[in-house]
Amino acid sequence: MGTLKLPVDRLNYECLKIEVALNYSYTDVKIVTVPTSSEEKLPRLELDESTLDDSTAIARYVGGENIFGEEGSVHSAEIYEWIFTSDGVLNPNITTWVSPYLGLVMYNKQIENEAVKQVDGVMMKLNKHLLHQTFLTADHVTMADITVAAALYPAYKVVMDAKYRKKYGNVTRWYMTVTNQCQFAKQLPVAHTDESAYCQTAPKFNKKEFDQMKEKLQAARNSAAVEEKAASGDQKPAAAGKEKPAAVAAGKEGAPPKSEAKKKKEEAKKKVKLEKMEKLAAKKKMQEKKDADTKKKPKVEKVKKVVEVAIYTKNTPAGDKKDITDPLPAGYSPQYTEAAWYEWWSKQGFFTPEFGKTKEEVEKSKKFVMCLPPPNVTGSLHLGHALTNTVQDVLARWHRMMGEATLWIPGTDHAGIATQVVVEKKLRKQENLSRHDIGREKFVEKVWEWKKEKGDRICSQLRKLGSSLDWDREFFTMDDKLSHAVKKSFIQLRKEGIIFRANRLINWSVALNSAISDIEVNKKELDGRTMLPVPGYDKPVEFGVIHSFHYELCDGSGKVTVATTRIETMLGDTGVAVHPQDKRFTHLHGKFVRHPFCERKIAIVCDDMVEMDFGTGCVKITPAHDANDYDVGKRHNLEFISIFDENGLVCNTQTQFDGMKRFDARTAVLDQLKQLNLYDECKDNKMVVPLCSRTKDIVEPMVKVQWFLTCDDVAKQSKDVVKSGELEIVPQAFQKTWYHWMDNIRDWCISRQLWWGHRIPAYFVTVDDPSVPAGERTDEKYWVCGMDAEEAMLEAVENFKVDRSKITLEQDEDVLDTWYSSGLLPFSIFGWPNESSDLSNYFPGALLETGHDILFFWIARMVFFSLLLTKKLPFKTVYLHAMVRDAHGRKMSKSLGNVIDPLDVISGITLEDLHKTLYLGNLEAKEIEKAKLGQTADYPNGIPECGSDALRFALFAYTCQGRDINLDVNRILGYRHFCNKLWNAFKFSTKQLAFGSEYKPQQQFQLSGKETEVDLWILHKLTKAVELSHAALENYQFPDYTTAVYNFWLYEFCDIYLECIKPLFTADSGDNDVTTTSKHVLYHCLDVAIRLTQPLMPFICEELWQRLPRRPNDVTPSVCVSKWPYTNNERAWTNDAVDAEMELVRNVVKTTRSLRADYNLTRTKADLYIKCSDDVTAEVLTRHRLTIKTLSYSSQVLIHDKPPQGCAVAIVNNKCDVNLMLKGIVNFEKEIEKMETNIKRQEKKLADLKKAVNKSEYKQKVPKEVQVADEEKMKQLGEELVKMAATKQDFASML
């Protein structure tokens, strides 16, 4: 175990790099904090065999490949490139930029400009790089992210204000994501949950502030040095493992004699040391006495106040309105707030498009229709579903408030493959049976039982999230209505020739024993030899290599060398291809090679697909097991030999390999080729391995008879509608992906060899009549379709012209791909193909919102089917949100333990109970233990109760138009605190409304002319918040909406407006006109702000809004069906002039608070004198004196040309400075003593430096750059002494 030595002050670039890297690893190191006085180079990692003092080298050692990438890989090189940029450019220039504002280095405009220029160059590069990237080099945090974020940290805190950050929005999004990872956040003193933790206004250099900061820093350093010396007894320990030379140790022989001067010097040192030790002993004695006196006093135990969580205890029947007769609890409680409301909303029909509208009004209304992407019935919702749900619900609630007929339809998907796999695992685990043991009928019954069990939980989760879904229209993709649509569409499309049956090359999953579509195949890229686990094999299988072997020519004239990554497929080779123009092989044209394991002759064919300069120039052809070879086989009429059966066993080769598992045969074939001296070599080879997205099995291309859907024509239509703008895809970056996929589409294999799903309504016909020859299952004409067997029989009779008694029908055993039925949802949920009012009113829909991962699985299928079956688009807009990952940037995976149930975030859960959830699924014991470790690392104390509103707000705030979201539960908890702020603000506000006499709202809010400046300002800010929110929702810029809401409530309404109106509501103020006017403004703000926030946080908004008094004639039953505050009246209060004035006031307040903090005036009020250089500024601040007095916690505010003596001064801007009266508050005698001590210390420093400079050898021995630095340092020390003397004089004048 190594020892990591770090300085006392660890919040610096190098230490931040190392400690964050350490948090991402499991490296065991001992951390030791070393005193500032140490002469060791820090940070420093001491190992048994070596010592590291380079921060990147230390981070590499503790972080490992997890964050640095595999040594020597391209990925690792990219990471180091960013580290070098950060070390060499970003960190030094940011240090130069921020140092003057921290009191570290004197300001130099030219130097700062150059530093900013260098930083801007890197920021532009970062911003461009992060346009479509979540992290710098991978899909998770690497050392590149850690290093660059560590370099940017001081800049974001000190100099990069909101205006600067806006220029580099992608960088800010990335920076917030990285620094909010728990591994990074724990090293920072303040959490960066939002931009309020960053620099708000770009600093301007102030010499006085610089001097004050410098003095404080020096005093802190001196104090730390004194404490270190006291703690160590001024003794420096000898370095471990090193002994003093014998001659030095005790004056042994061989030591040089000491001169008299040296002896005197040593005696003087001893005397000083002795005096220090005596002082230290005396101090220690006094402390012991003090401790003894303290012990004599009886110890008063502090009782920690336990705050009880409020719970709603009224006996309200489900669906009845919540009882709100009791006052609001003391603090916000999600359990209390979220109780009873949802059942009432649902029962009242607020979520139906017909609420509050007649049939005619519904037909004429603007419609907003969405279909919930149906979650798989296989299990519970996770946070990814919660994101989809939140985005859709916010949009649905917003459109509903806009007066549109809003319909959001819930449902679940039968998920053919996923459900069958899960239920099979459960059957095996609980009863040790396979589906074949119990038969198809019983197995399907088991699946329906599973659906009833899990489907209810999913609905419960959706309700708990506050989803405003129309439950009366809920669907399940295996419902009779949807099954009817599936059958009807299949029959119609087959009649049109769009669906057909053919013997083609398809993707076969051995583990599933079923065909799968192209988009269900994941392509895993390998750089070279890699061992991969394969289902059904005890040991990993080798991939990423290419084997060369040779075939011997049948005429004995030579050999032909070929290469392959799948050596076992040579058992099915029926051809060898060469390029027709390759002169090396013209002598082979028309010849044959002999297969070494059977009597098969293999033709050598000429084909342009061969790349002459790749490999040997000769390509083995296995037509039945490779897409390219399939095409070659068709062109040259080669034999198609399927050498694997459905279980992945070798067959049809007539060799000793028949019956072997395919990857066991791989090894056996290699061995045999070597024995026959036909094997040449093996090399590493970059390749792509096809994996089944469901089972991680290696997909096997196989020729099988399946049902297909022709895609060419409809894909072209689908591309054209996006190009023309008829169908909008947001973000636009995905349009390019859409075009590429449509251009390269292949026919869709729609049949699956499963038991669970929509059974294909096709029947094979057997005719018992000599006039009709027996049919093959590959022959299209021997298949008929029908809604049932009777309808199919009628078609068979019609086709074959025989009596029905001679016909036998056998329904296809296969089912349709799950995405087939899902693709019909936009119209099948409304009863298509039957006409209905729902179909005419709500189809086509308005929006499809979902994750970008199912752009082609589902969205493209819906567009296809709508165009084919209804000749309409299914919706007008597709919005693709980012993917949710965990706080570390990892994909959600049950085996990692990071798949979180939204209910566990809403209600909270202990770590122990979190572990228990792992046993509810089908994880293996080994996977459960791995998942437990992951949960323990991420949630050592479990997950705190956050509530639905906080979860929704966090998810929506995260949703930038980018790729991925790294969701940190701690950030969600931060929004729970925001809910508490709203709660307390509402309680305070309603108390003020009740002040004096009972408050009655106006019919409509209007200005009376008696409003104060702060009243007009808050109305302006409210209007801006409404406009920003509306624009954000219109343009799918969701974080702009959450920011507008958050900033208004927290920084404008709570921090300023409520503080400013407090003095109006006091016992001696009376219920005068100003108070009444402020009540109207306060009520208007509450009413509008709650309605503005409702789509985001429906539960707390309903709880608060129901307790507001109503305007006359307002009978709106719920805030969720109230009007969106975007009317002309609610946007009529912009006032830029007042806003500009209040901005000045806020700067005055901010500067004053900073000055108060410098003198530690936390509870003490002081007089504030504001000096203005022009009449306009003085007039503005005079009108706002009460606001300034209230917000700056001043006893009085006076506008003076010449403030009195005894004030501390700070500059606000070039026209204004603030003067805080300290006389009588601050002990100036004590301050003068401190200043005298500092002056003496500074004088000694200057004297020592001058003495060193004046030595005769200084000019010759000291480097020029050091001499220049010393000269500058002497100049600075001199200037500081002058400043300190002036400050001392100022203090003296205040006595």
Side-chain angles (χ1 to χ4, degrees):
M1 181 174 71
T3 300
L4 178 60
K5 293 185 175 181
L6 299 172
V8 175
D9 178 16
R10 283 145 66 166
L11 195 60
N12 59 60
Y13 173 66
E14 293 193 330
C15 292
L16 200 53
K17 277 169 62 177
I18 293 167
E19 292 200 86
V20 175
L22 187 58
N23 292 339
Y24 273 96
S25 76
Y26 297 100
T27 305
D28 192 10
V29 295
K30 179 184 178 183
I31 298 178
V32 175
T33 302
V34 178
T36 311
S37 58
S38 171
E39 294 177 2
E40 289 181 288
K41 184 180 177 184
L42 300 173
R44 181 184 184 86
L45 179 63
E46 294 181 350
L47 305 166
D48 292 338
E49 66 281 0
S50 62
T51 298
L52 303 176
D53 57 13
D54 175 80
S55 60
T56 300
I58 297 171
R60 178 72 179 85
Y61 180 88
V62 300
E65 289 188 357
N66 182 36
I67 54 174
F68 274 83
E70 187 178 349
E71 196 69 43
S73 67
V74 175
H75 179 217
S76 180
E78 289 173 351
I79 292 171
Y80 276 104
E81 186 178 339
W82 283 110
I83 293 173
F84 296 151
T85 300
S86 185
D87 285 351
V89 182
L90 208 51
N91 177 53
N93 283 291
I94 284 175
T95 302
T96 300
W97 188 3
V98 303
S99 291
Y101 305 104
L102 299 175
L104 297 170
V105 176
M106 177 55 69
Y107 178 79
N108 182 307
K109 186 174 180 62
Q110 188 176 353
I111 292 174
E112 180 182 91
N113 287 345
E114 183 58 28
V116 173
K117 183 180 175 182
Q118 294 291 329
V119 173
D120 275 341
V122 179
M123 291 292 281
M124 287 169 67
K125 180 182 175 183
L126 279 167
N127 207 53
K128 186 177 180 181
H129 182 76
L130 291 164
L131 180 62
H132 299 302
Q133 301 283 341
T134 304
F135 299 107
L136 290 176
T137 64
D139 60 358
H140 59 85
V141 170
T142 66
M143 197 62 202
D145 303 281
I146 295 167
T147 306
V148 177
L152 286 171
Y153 172 74
Y156 270 81
K157 289 286 290 182
V158 180
V159 291
M160 291 180 174
D161 63 348
K163 186 178 178 182
Y164 185 94
R165 294 194 300 273
K166 192 174 181 181
K167 284 197 303 182
Y168 305 109
N170 297 326
V171 182
T172 301
R173 168 185 55 77
W174 160 85
Y175 176 80
M176 187 178 286
T177 301
V178 174
T179 55
N180 273 310
Q181 309 297 308
C182 60
Q183 294 89 342
F184 206 115
K186 65 166 49 170
Q187 300 305 135
L188 304 181
V190 179
H192 286 194
T193 52
D194 57 65
E195 290 196 34
S196 63
Y198 303 158
C199 170
Q200 297 303 309
T201 307
K204 292 182 179 178
F205 183 78
N206 182 301
K207 183 70 166 60
K208 184 174 180 180
E209 290 179 359
F210 172 84
D211 291 330
Q212 289 171 347
M213 283 189 286
K214 194 162 187 178
E215 285 174 18
K216 283 182 180 179
L217 282 169
Q218 192 57 51
R221 286 171 184 156
N222 293 338
S223 175
V226 170
E227 287 174 8
E228 287 169 15
K229 286 184 178 180
S232 62
D234 207 25
Q235 303 283 328
K236 284 189 179 180
K242 293 183 180 179
E243 295 182 4
K244 296 181 180 180
V248 179
K252 305 237 175 162
E253 290 184 72
K258 297 178 183 177
S259 66
E260 284 301 316
K262 199 164 186 179
K263 286 179 181 177
K264 284 182 181 179
K265 195 172 180 180
E266 286 183 357
E267 288 298 325
K269 277 187 179 179
K270 283 181 182 177
K271 189 177 179 183
V272 171
K273 192 172 181 180
L274 190 62
E275 286 174 357
K276 280 185 181 178
M277 291 178 73
E278 286 173 352
K279 282 182 183 178
L280 190 64
K283 190 176 178 182
K284 190 176 179 183
K285 199 170 184 181
M286 285 178 66
Q287 187 62 43
E288 286 173 354
K289 186 176 183 302
K290 190 177 178 181
D291 290 345
D293 292 341
T294 305
K295 284 178 184 177
K296 290 174 186 175
K297 295 176 185 177
K299 191 175 181 181
V300 180
E301 289 287 338
K302 287 186 179 180
V303 180
K304 190 175 181 181
K305 189 176 179 181
V306 179
V307 181
E308 289 189 11
V309 176
I311 299 172
Y312 182 72
T313 56
K314 297 291 181 72
N315 187 22
T316 303
D320 283 9
K321 188 175 181 180
K322 187 174 182 178
D323 188 334
I324 55 170
T325 54
D326 290 343
L328 283 173
Y332 167 71
S333 160
Q335 290 183 56
Y336 178 90
T337 306
E338 295 171 14
W341 287 123
Y342 192 89
E343 291 78 8
W344 178 65
W345 291 335
S346 193
K347 186 177 179 181
Q348 293 298 309
F350 296 149
F351 303 153
T352 63
E354 295 86 5
F355 180 80
K357 294 181 175 67
T358 63
K359 184 179 178 182
E360 291 73 22
E361 286 173 334
V362 169
E363 289 173 356
K364 293 177 183 178
S365 290
K366 185 178 178 182
K367 313 289 193 310
F368 182 75
V369 181
M370 288 187 303
C371 174
L372 177 78
N376 288 353
V377 76
T378 48
S380 304
L381 301 184
H382 54 65
L383 287 176
H385 295 113
L387 172 66
T388 302
N389 184 79
T390 299
V391 172
Q392 292 190 14
D393 191 40
V394 170
L395 292 171
R397 287 175 178 273
W398 173 53
H399 282 278
R400 192 176 289 117
M401 293 179 81
M402 293 276 283
E404 298 172 23
T406 300
L407 175 58
W408 184 27
I409 304 176
T412 48
D413 192 278
H414 68 279
I417 293 175
T419 304
Q420 180 157 313
V421 168
V422 168
V423 177
E424 280 194 87
K425 278 187 177 180
K426 185 182 179 188
L427 189 64
R428 175 69 68 187
K429 190 174 182 179
Q430 295 181 353
E431 302 179 38
N432 196 28
L433 295 172
S434 72
R435 63 185 165 107
H436 299 285
D437 293 331
I438 63 173
R440 183 168 189 155
E441 190 177 336
K442 287 285 184 184
F443 180 76
V444 171
E445 287 176 9
K446 291 275 185 187
V447 182
W448 277 106
E449 289 172 12
W450 175 265
K451 185 268 172 188
K452 289 173 186 175
E453 177 190 337
K454 292 297 179 181
D456 291 344
R457 175 166 177 77
I458 289 169
C459 295
S460 170
Q461 288 173 306
L462 290 169
R463 288 181 167 91
K464 194 74 175 173
L465 282 162
S467 312
S468 57
L469 293 153
D470 186 347
W471 291 103
D472 293 339
R473 290 179 167 93
E474 182 185 359
F475 67 84
F476 175 55
T477 52
M478 291 283 283
D479 286 344
D480 291 343
K481 180 170 72 174
L482 272 65
S483 293
H484 181 81
V486 168
K487 291 178 182 178
K488 202 74 177 176
S489 67
F490 186 95
I491 294 165
Q492 180 178 326
L493 293 175
R494 183 171 179 267
K495 282 180 180 176
E496 293 174 12
I498 294 169
I499 287 178
F500 62 94
R501 189 170 175 83
N503 191 32
R504 287 191 177 183
L505 193 73
I506 51 94
N507 302 302
W508 185 262
S509 170
V510 172
L512 292 174
N513 240 240
S514 174
I516 57 175
S517 66
D518 289 344
I519 55 176
E520 289 171 307
V521 179
N522 293 338
K523 295 178 180 178
K524 185 177 181 66
E525 295 184 9
L526 305 180
D527 289 329
R529 183 179 184 271
T530 307
M531 304 300 288
L532 296 178
V534 178
Y537 292 82
D538 296 331
K539 295 179 181 179
V541 178
E542 182 184 58
F543 294 89
V545 295
I546 187 164
H547 298 282
S548 295
F549 70 98
H550 56 267
Y551 283 119
E552 293 180 345
L553 288 162
C554 290
D555 61 9
S557 61
K559 63 181 182 179
V560 175
T561 303
V562 294
T564 179
T565 57
R566 304 173 65 216
I567 194 75
E568 67 279 9
T569 61
M570 63 87 63
L571 297 172
D573 284 359
T574 58
V576 172
V578 296
H579 196 282
Q581 295 176 4
D582 194 333
K583 294 179 181 178
R584 293 174 296 171
F585 305 116
T586 52
H587 67 287
L588 298 177
H589 294 185
K591 291 191 176 185
F592 293 84
V593 294
R594 183 185 299 108
H595 199 287
F597 304 133
C598 60
E599 295 303 316
R600 190 185 315 148
K601 287 174 68 176
I602 299 173
I604 298 175
V605 298
C606 297
D607 199 285
D608 291 337
M609 62 83 71
V610 179
E611 297 178 39
M612 289 188 284
D613 56 351
F614 180 78
T616 66
C618 299
V619 180
K620 61 183 285 297
I621 305 297
T622 318
H625 293 283
D626 181 271
N628 291 325
D629 293 5
Y630 179 87
D631 294 336
V632 174
K634 286 287 186 183
R635 284 196 292 271
H636 297 280
N637 199 28
L638 298 178
E639 186 181 1
F640 283 67
I641 303 173
S642 293
I643 61 166
F644 302 123
D645 67 12
E646 294 176 349
N647 298 308
L649 301 178
V650 178
C651 63
N652 301 326
T653 70
Q654 297 176 353
T655 68
Q656 73 253 40
F657 306 107
D658 281 353
M660 284 187 182
K661 291 162 75 173
R662 54 183 170 154
F663 295 121
D664 290 343
R666 173 175 291 188
T667 305
V669 167
L670 272 173
D671 290 341
Q672 282 295 306
L673 287 173
K674 288 174 182 177
Q675 287 181 28
L676 296 171
N677 294 320
L678 297 175
Y679 184 76
D680 293 325
E681 63 177 346
C682 173
K683 292 180 180 178
D684 276 33
N685 180 64
K686 282 189 176 183
M687 65 179 292
V688 174
V689 177
L691 298 179
C692 172
S693 61
R694 296 290 180 186
T695 64
K696 308 308 175 195
D697 186 20
I698 307 298
V699 172
E700 192 63 56
M702 293 174 70
V703 175
K704 292 187 76 67
V705 179
Q706 300 288 312
W707 291 98
F708 293 87
L709 187 146
T710 303
C711 296
D712 290 347
D713 291 343
V714 74
K716 185 180 182 305
Q717 291 180 59
S718 301
K719 179 182 175 181
D720 291 344
V721 293
V722 173
K723 278 194 167 183
S724 67
E726 293 174 71
L727 178 63
E728 181 186 16
I729 297 178
V730 182
Q732 288 188 349
F734 288 104
Q735 289 183 6
K736 188 176 179 182
T737 313
W738 180 268
Y739 299 148
H740 177 78
W741 195 74
M742 294 301 171
D743 286 339
N744 294 280
I745 200 163
R746 295 166 65 181
D747 290 344
W748 174 19
C749 175
I750 58 174
S751 48
R752 298 290 179 271
Q753 289 63 51
L754 303 172
W755 287 359
W756 172 244
H758 292 280
R759 195 164 174 184
I760 294 174
Y763 299 77
F764 181 70
V765 180
T766 303
V767 181
D768 187 14
D769 189 293
S771 65
V772 179
E776 294 291 332
R777 289 181 180 268
T778 53
D779 194 337
E780 184 81 18
K781 73 177 184 180
Y782 283 88
W783 288 88
V784 293
C785 295
M787 296 298 292
D788 52 30
E790 179 58 29
E791 188 174 302
M793 178 62 77
L794 293 176
E795 183 185 338
V797 170
E798 175 67 24
N799 289 351
F800 292 99
K801 311 298 182 185
V802 296
D803 187 79
R804 63 185 298 158
S805 62
K806 295 183 178 182
I807 295 174
T808 304
L809 298 181
E810 181 187 348
Q811 187 173 0
D812 196 333
E813 291 283 327
D814 292 351
V815 300
L816 287 166
D817 182 1
T818 297
W819 298 104
Y820 186 102
S821 55
S822 300
L824 300 172
L825 287 176
F827 46 93
S828 65
I829 52 178
F830 298 123
W832 181 93
N834 300 322
E835 290 296 327
S836 67
S837 58
D838 271 7
L839 187 63
S840 58
N841 280 331
Y842 304 121
F843 177 78
L847 175 73
L848 189 284
E849 192 285 332
T850 188
H852 64 75
D853 58 326
I854 55 173
L855 179 60
F856 304 116
F857 278 99
W858 188 39
I859 300 169
R861 308 304 194 199
M862 287 189 282
V863 174
F864 283 7
F865 279 129
S866 289
L867 291 173
L868 289 170
L869 297 168
T870 71
K871 311 307 177 189
K872 298 176 184 177
L873 283 169
F875 26 72
K876 296 168 187 167
T877 304
V878 174
Y879 176 81
L880 302 168
H881 67 238
M883 300 307 298
V884 178
R885 297 174 180 269
D886 69 7
H888 315 295
R890 301 175 304 182
K891 288 182 179 179
M892 298 294 186
S893 165
K894 290 177 183 178
S895 62
L896 288 175
N898 62 1
V899 175
I900 301 300
D901 185 336
L903 299 189
D904 293 338
V905 179
I906 292 169
S907 306
I909 188 170
T910 64
L911 179 61
E912 184 183 359
D913 287 340
L914 205 55
H915 287 341
K916 289 177 182 175
T917 62
L918 299 172
Y919 292 94
L920 301 177
N922 290 308
L923 290 179
E924 301 292 337
K926 195 185 294 183
E927 290 179 313
I928 288 175
E929 292 309 311
K930 181 183 174 183
K932 279 184 179 180
L933 289 174
Q935 288 179 340
T936 305
D938 287 343
Y939 313 107
N941 302 312
I943 298 174
E945 179 191 35
C946 296
S948 177
D949 286 329
L951 175 60
R952 290 165 60 99
F953 198 103
L955 289 167
F956 209 70
Y958 266 114
T959 311
C960 300
Q961 288 188 13
R963 290 271 175 173
D964 296 314
I965 294 169
N966 297 335
L967 187 63
D968 188 349
V969 172
N970 290 324
R971 186 169 171 185
I972 301 171
L973 186 61
Y975 289 120
R976 181 198 159 143
H977 300 324
F978 173 60
C979 290
N980 195 56
K981 190 79 173 178
L982 261 65
W983 190 269
N984 291 333
F986 182 85
K987 287 183 67 180
F988 173 81
S989 300
T990 49
K991 182 181 177 183
Q992 307 315 312
L993 288 176
F995 177 78
S997 58
E998 183 183 354
Y999 176 72
K1000 293 182 180 178
Q1002 300 165 295
Q1003 177 77 40
Q1004 182 177 324
F1005 177 72
Q1006 296 176 340
L1007 293 181
S1008 66
K1010 296 175 183 178
E1011 288 78 12
T1012 63
E1013 281 85 353
V1014 77
D1015 286 334
L1016 295 173
W1017 174 79
I1018 197 64
L1019 290 170
H1020 169 82
K1021 287 298 184 186
L1022 179 62
T1023 302
K1024 289 297 179 186
V1026 169
E1027 289 176 346
L1028 283 169
S1029 299
H1030 190 83
L1033 291 171
E1034 268 191 330
N1035 298 305
Y1036 304 102
Q1037 298 293 342
F1038 300 142
D1040 291 351
Y1041 174 35
T1042 55
T1043 300
V1045 168
Y1046 189 89
N1047 287 350
F1048 175 78
W1049 277 108
L1050 207 59
Y1051 302 128
E1052 293 157 2
F1053 185 71
C1054 293
D1055 287 359
I1056 296 180
Y1057 186 66
L1058 292 186
E1059 293 298 323
C1060 288
I1061 65 172
K1062 277 181 182 177
L1064 299 176
F1065 298 98
T1066 56
D1068 56 351
S1069 68
D1071 194 12
N1072 53 30
D1073 288 345
V1074 174
T1075 306
T1076 302
T1077 300
S1078 286
K1079 282 185 177 183
H1080 289 319
V1081 173
L1082 178 60
Y1083 176 87
H1084 181 69
C1085 286
L1086 287 174
D1087 176 39
V1088 172
I1090 289 173
R1091 285 186 283 134
L1092 188 69
T1093 310
Q1094 185 274 147
L1096 274 173
M1097 300 196 289
F1099 291 104
I1100 190 172
C1101 288
E1102 190 72 78
E1103 187 73 40
L1104 302 182
W1105 193 78
Q1106 289 290 346
R1107 295 168 188 269
L1108 270 181
R1110 288 284 169 275
R1111 296 191 188 277
N1113 304 320
D1114 181 6
V1115 293
T1116 308
S1118 166
V1119 69
C1120 65
V1121 289
S1122 63
K1123 288 184 178 178
W1124 177 249
Y1126 198 64
T1127 62
N1128 291 333
N1129 182 58
E1130 286 155 333
R1131 293 191 291 137
W1133 317 118
T1134 52
N1135 195 324
D1136 293 331
V1138 168
D1139 188 41
E1141 288 183 5
M1142 279 298 292
E1143 190 60 31
L1144 173 62
V1145 169
R1146 293 170 81 177
N1147 286 332
V1148 168
V1149 170
K1150 182 182 176 183
T1151 307
T1152 306
R1153 286 177 173 176
S1154 177
L1155 202 56
R1156 286 176 58 82
D1158 287 344
Y1159 290 94
N1160 201 27
L1161 302 181
T1162 51
R1163 298 283 180 184
T1164 309
K1165 288 188 176 183
D1167 291 345
L1168 179 64
Y1169 298 87
I1170 304 176
K1171 181 180 175 181
C1172 302
S1173 62
D1174 69 316
D1175 294 340
V1176 175
T1177 305
E1179 188 274 329
V1180 169
L1181 295 178
T1182 300
R1183 281 190 283 107
H1184 289 276
R1185 278 190 303 171
L1186 179 60
T1187 300
I1188 296 169
K1189 176 187 173 185
T1190 303
L1191 297 177
S1192 66
Y1193 202 66
S1194 299
S1195 50
Q1196 61 175 335
V1197 176
L1198 301 156
I1199 313 298
H1200 268 254
D1201 291 334
K1202 190 177 180 182
Q1205 288 188 330
C1207 292
V1209 184
I1211 296 170
V1212 177
N1213 57 32
N1214 61 339
K1215 295 179 180 179
C1216 171
D1217 57 51
V1218 294
N1219 301 260
L1220 196 64
M1221 178 54 72
L1222 300 179
K1223 198 169 184 177
I1225 297 173
V1226 175
N1227 187 337
F1228 290 111
E1229 290 181 352
K1230 196 172 182 180
E1231 294 297 323
I1232 290 170
E1233 283 180 19
K1234 286 182 186 175
M1235 191 55 64
E1236 286 174 343
T1237 303
N1238 290 336
I1239 288 171
K1240 286 178 183 177
R1241 187 181 296 116
Q1242 208 77 340
E1243 285 173 339
K1244 186 176 183 306
K1245 281 184 183 178
L1246 183 58
D1248 290 344
L1249 190 53
K1250 282 182 177 179
K1251 185 178 177 182
V1253 169
N1254 291 330
K1255 285 182 179 179
S1256 57
E1257 68 272 19
Y1258 178 81
K1259 294 285 185 185
Q1260 290 78 30
K1261 292 185 177 180
V1262 177
K1264 284 287 181 187
E1265 59 269 22
V1266 176
Q1267 292 183 36
V1268 172
D1270 286 344
E1271 193 67 35
E1272 180 64 27
K1273 196 171 183 181
M1274 284 193 292
K1275 183 182 175 183
Q1276 283 185 18
L1277 287 168
E1279 290 173 351
E1280 288 169 10
L1281 278 168
V1282 172
K1283 183 69 179 175
M1284 291 164 88
T1287 305
K1288 178 186 170 185
Q1289 188 62 41
D1290 288 343
F1291 285 150
S1293 68
M1294 296 180 192
L1295 289 172

